[in-house]
Amino acid sequence: MTSAAPGVWHRLGRKADLRAKAGLTRHVRTRADAIDLAGNDYLGLSRHPAVLAAAAAALAEHGLGASGSRLVRGTTGVHERFEAEFAQHTGTETAVLYSSGYMANLGAVAALAGPVLLDAHAHASLHDAARLAGGRSDTFAHNDLDELQRRLREVRPALVAVESVYSVLGDAAPLREIHALTTAHGALLLIDEAHAIGTIGPHGAGGAAAAGLAGDPGVVLTATLSKALGAAGGIVAGPAALRRHLHDTGRTFIYDTAPPPAVIAGAGAALAIARESDSARAELARRAALAAATLNAPTPAAGVLSPPAGDAKAATDWAERCAAAGVAVGCFRPPSTPDHRSRLRVTINTGVAVEDFDRALEVIQAAR
């Protein structure tokens, strides 16, 4: 009997060759010592002494990992406290922790069964979740309220999914207007707050709070803890009935190991700091505006800046020239970009010294 495996690897090799010719090869490289404008540590909290101390204390008490699902091994006070604090921070009734923001989005969309309508620029995890849920899903043009209204009439979705601050272009969703439409058509609104928690809204409570939607029963929030909170993990927040439903039926909660207590303890300390960091948010906005002016890009809603870079190879070369000069930036190419354009992705980090940030902008502009 002849194995089919050699043919499979040959086809994959050919596809890799085609991606390489198109400039779409991706490389996992060792992290270099550089000015960090590539990560998402917007407020510089991942190395804050209070964050590290909280994580170290929980590590000593609970060990390295959670050792199982919270339904199997049991929960910890660390997990429960963070859920309560996050719910209070965002004005929601309750919240549920996950091992990643990706898993939180999969869990939330799957739990809210029914047709799903997504902004075309919504994060890949939301689009994946809609497909994996097995129901009907469709998209509407990015931030296009007229098309959203038309699609709401046609699709009659149970759920509309958007980001409050979009992860590629860095622009904001018109949440008040979208909420008015979803309410009129009897749909729930899921708002992914990944890039908004800690960076916008009252005390960094996010886009929903900034739009006056905190605690609205027609709104579900998701977020990752890996951006402004400098940690890891994900969370879903909303009405108390949602928490009960996720505990009883949510596969990404039931069957996944809980996030490590030490990481969540650090995230809790970061959340407390972020609440009192209005000056850091003001500095984030100042730096974002400066970066946009320097790099000739639209001013972002929070900390994501995405100057266009021509084709995929041009974007890769630009990012590599920045790296060679000691500045780490992101590089987004299709299929990661919803508009199919290649671009640099510069993320603002207020933990970077002002003089280093200014020098980094000079490097990025000179390397263009």
Side-chain angles (χ1 to χ4, degrees), residues 29 57 150-151 193 200 210 221 235 285 339 351:
R29 295 185 172 93
R150 178 173 61 81
R151 302 297 285 146
E193 297 266 39
I200 65 172
L221 306 181
I235 198 159
D339 58 357

Side-chain angles (χ1 to χ4, degrees), residues 51 94 98 177 224 229 322 353:
V51 171
T94 189
Y98 290 80
E177 293 84 352
T224 175
L229 300 186
C322 292

Side-chain angles (χ1 to χ4, degrees), residues 204-283:
L213 303 179
D216 189 289
V219 173
V220 172
L221 306 181
T222 66
T224 175
L225 314 184
S226 62
K227 308 299 193 263
L229 300 186
I235 198 159
V236 177
L242 176 62
R243 178 182 169 93
R244 180 72 271 161
H245 186 63
L246 291 171
H247 280 190
D248 287 345
T249 70
R251 297 176 70 85
T252 59
F253 177 81
I254 296 170
Y255 299 109
D256 193 37
T257 297
V263 174
I264 301 305
L271 184 65
I273 296 167
R275 273 199 296 266
E276 306 303 322
S277 295
D278 286 346
S279 60
R281 277 182 284 279
E283 175 64 9

